């Protein structure tokens, strides 16, 4: 890359309102809060090579959120009659949070659907956790969906990302979930450049062989995530891009979702636009959903999100990625 190109790349995503080329930056207003994501904490039992949140057994930059803190947001949804139908839980590894089963049960008991993102390894497979999950499945059925991260249908590439001795344990967890009738989904990656049809065929063969009730042709049951690489040079999204790309701001996940995180040492959780920006304080929207809906200045315009981050461009707009169905 030439010196001029490197300078242009470094100047991108600096100004919340204007791109490096001097064009008006695109924004995404919140149409309706349909999904609220809860980050249960950044600690994880494994450390993946390309984890966007850098989860590991040591990374506690996002603290374990408590049941009471999650309940406060559920109370706000109910009090304000927000149209939130889904509560998503992500980490880190959610099943490491000691309050997780209780907060999951609270979300389901209030009538929400719940989506849990997990690696289905040892934290989920502890007897106490399995018993609790079975009780929740019995009480709430398909309103509880478990989405398991299986980065590739083949062991070698999955373990290239997740480390040795991870594939078989994850498959064991999926086997258990399938055997006990849980609503299941898988999340894979497109990191290795394999075409979508080949990937879906590979996952389909694995699912049939193991008896997993997953329709791999359904994008909600097999989610294939585009990669996020902050080192890559990606274009900025301008207001003109919507018509050029034949997309609408409503297509992006920040049009219908927000995420709650609890930073280490913080007195209370904060609301962020989405699951992809867990650490940048510039994207904090406030301590309540009401504050987030009207936050203004910097990266926001009366609650709308300015697409001033490489992930906004590569993952969401150009990659078509979304953490929700």
């Amino acid at each position: 890359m030439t010196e001029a190109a490197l300078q242009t790349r470094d100047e991108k995503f600096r100004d919340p309102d204007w791109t490096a080329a001097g064009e008006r930056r695109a924004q995404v207003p919140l149409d309706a809060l349909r999904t609220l994501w809860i980050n249960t904490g950044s600690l994880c039992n494994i450390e993946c090579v390309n984890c966007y949140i850098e989860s590991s057994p040591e990374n506690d930059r996002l603290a374990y959120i408590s049941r009471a803190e999650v309940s406060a947001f559920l109370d706000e949804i109910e009090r304000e009659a927000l149209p939130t139908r889904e509560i998503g839980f992500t980490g880190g590894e959610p099943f490491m949070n000691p309050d997780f089963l209780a907060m999951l049960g609270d979300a389901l008991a209030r009538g929400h659907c719940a989506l849990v993102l997990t690696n289905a390894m040892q934290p989920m497979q502890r007897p106490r956790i399995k018993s609790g999950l079975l009780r929740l499945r019995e009480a709430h059925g398909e309103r509880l969906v478990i989405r398991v991260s299986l980065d590739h249908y083949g062991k070698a590439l999955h373990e290239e990302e997740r480390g040795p001795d991870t594939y078989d344990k994850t498959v064991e967890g999926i086997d258990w979930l399938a055997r006990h009738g849980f609503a299941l989904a898988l999340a894979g990656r497109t990191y290795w450049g394999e075409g979508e049809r080949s990937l879906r065929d590979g996952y389909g063969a694995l699912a049939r062989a193991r008896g997993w009730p997953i329709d791999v042709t359904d994008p909600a049951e097999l989610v294939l995530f585009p990669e996020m690489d902050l080192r890559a040079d990606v274009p900025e999204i301008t207001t003109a891009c919507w018509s050029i790309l034949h997309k609408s701001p409503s297509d992006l996940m920040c049009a219908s979702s927000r995420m709650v995180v609890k930073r280490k040492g913080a007195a209370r959780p904060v609301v962020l636009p989405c699951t992809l920006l867990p650490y940048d304080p510039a994207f904090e929207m406030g301590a309540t959903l009401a504050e987030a809906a009207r936050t203004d200045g910097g990266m926001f315009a009366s609650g709308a999100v300015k697409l001033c981050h490489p992930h906004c461009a590569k993952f969401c707009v150009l990659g078509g990625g979304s953490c929700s169905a």
Side-chain angles (χ1 to χ4, degrees), residues 94-97 121-131:
F95 288 105
M96 291 178 65
N97 183 316
M121 294 178 69
Q122 194 57 44
M124 190 201 79
Q125 295 186 41
R126 290 171 290 170
R128 179 183 69 84
I129 299 297
K130 284 183 173 180
S131 296

Side-chain angles (χ1 to χ4, degrees), residues 3 22 26 40 43 75 187 191 203-204 230 252 255 280 301 305 311:
E3 183 176 342
T40 60
L43 286 170
D75 288 343
Y191 179 76
Y203 280 103
L230 290 175
L252 272 65
D280 191 339
V305 180
H311 291 343

Side-chain angles (χ1 to χ4, degrees), residues 25-69:
R25 189 177 304 284
Q27 301 178 5
V28 176
L30 181 70
D31 293 339
L33 183 64
R34 298 185 182 91
T35 299
L36 180 65
W37 286 94
I38 307 294
N39 186 288
T40 60
S42 51
L43 286 170
C44 186
N45 55 303
I46 58 175
E47 184 173 4
C48 300
V49 175
N50 292 308
C51 179
Y52 80 96
I53 201 172
E54 300 174 348
S55 295
S56 75
E58 288 80 38
N59 179 9
D60 61 353
R61 291 168 66 189
L62 300 182
Y64 285 148
I65 197 167
S66 72
R67 179 185 188 181
E69 288 165 337

Side-chain angles (χ1 to χ4, degrees), residues 41-313:
S42 51
L43 286 170
C44 186
N45 55 303
I46 58 175
E47 184 173 4
C48 300
V49 175
N50 292 308
C51 179
Y52 80 96
I53 201 172
E54 300 174 348
S55 295
S56 75
E58 288 80 38
N59 179 9
D60 61 353
R61 291 168 66 189
L62 300 182
Y64 285 148
I65 197 167
S66 72
R67 179 185 188 181
E69 288 165 337
V70 172
S71 289
F73 287 97
L74 299 177
D75 288 343
E76 187 178 7
I77 289 170
E78 186 172 345
R79 184 172 63 250
E80 302 300 325
L82 299 178
T84 310
R85 62 173 185 253
E86 178 183 61
I87 307 298
F89 294 94
T90 184
E93 172 50 51
F95 288 105
M96 291 178 65
N97 183 316
D99 276 3
F100 181 58
L101 281 181
M103 64 180 75
L104 178 59
D106 289 343
L108 289 163
R110 292 177 186 241
H112 298 291
C113 295
L115 174 62
V116 180
L117 310 191
T118 178
N119 57 41
M121 294 178 69
Q122 194 57 44
M124 190 201 79
Q125 295 186 41
R126 290 171 290 170
R128 179 183 69 84
I129 299 297
K130 284 183 173 180
S131 296
L133 281 174
L134 288 171
R135 287 193 296 271
L136 291 175
R137 184 200 56 75
E138 181 67 24
H140 303 288
E142 293 193 350
R143 284 198 293 113
L144 170 60
V145 179
I146 311 292
R147 182 194 292 167
V148 181
S149 296
L150 189 68
D151 286 331
H152 195 268
Y153 55 83
K155 181 175 182 176
L157 291 183
H158 175 87
E159 294 195 345
E160 180 181 301
E161 168 66 22
R162 301 222 159 210
D165 304 319
T166 56
Y167 183 85
D168 290 343
K169 196 66 176 177
T170 293
V171 167
E172 179 186 332
I174 302 170
D175 284 346
W176 182 84
L177 291 165
R179 192 163 60 248
H180 288 88
F182 284 86
L184 269 175
L186 298 179
R189 303 178 81 134
T190 58
Y191 179 76
W192 298 276
E194 187 175 352
E196 181 174 346
R197 180 169 181 176
S198 175
L199 281 168
R200 292 192 183 278
D201 287 347
Y203 280 103
L206 177 64
R208 288 190 298 274
R210 304 201 70 91
W212 298 343
I214 295 170
D215 178 1
V216 298
T217 66
D218 184 340
E221 294 193 30
L222 173 58
V223 185
L224 297 175
F225 284 122
E227 288 305 307
M228 295 176 286
D229 184 354
L230 290 175
R231 300 166 299 178
D233 183 26
V234 297
E236 297 180 279
I237 305 302
T238 70
T239 54
C241 289
W242 301 125
S243 59
I244 294 170
L245 298 171
H246 304 291
K247 286 180 177 278
S248 165
S250 296
D251 297 334
L252 272 65
M253 61 180 174
C254 56
S256 60
S257 68
R258 292 290 181 261
M259 182 169 82
V260 175
V261 304
K262 175 78 177 291
R263 302 195 190 284
K264 183 178 182 180
R268 59 190 302 187
V270 292
V271 181
L272 307 178
C274 73
T275 59
L276 306 181
L277 305 171
Y279 299 126
D280 191 339
F283 285 94
E284 291 185 6
M285 304 187 78
T288 67
L289 299 174
E291 289 178 10
R294 61 176 181 265
T295 187
D296 197 56
M299 296 298 179
F300 310 105
S302 300
V305 180
K306 301 174 185 179
L307 301 185
C308 192
H309 193 281
H311 291 343
C312 303

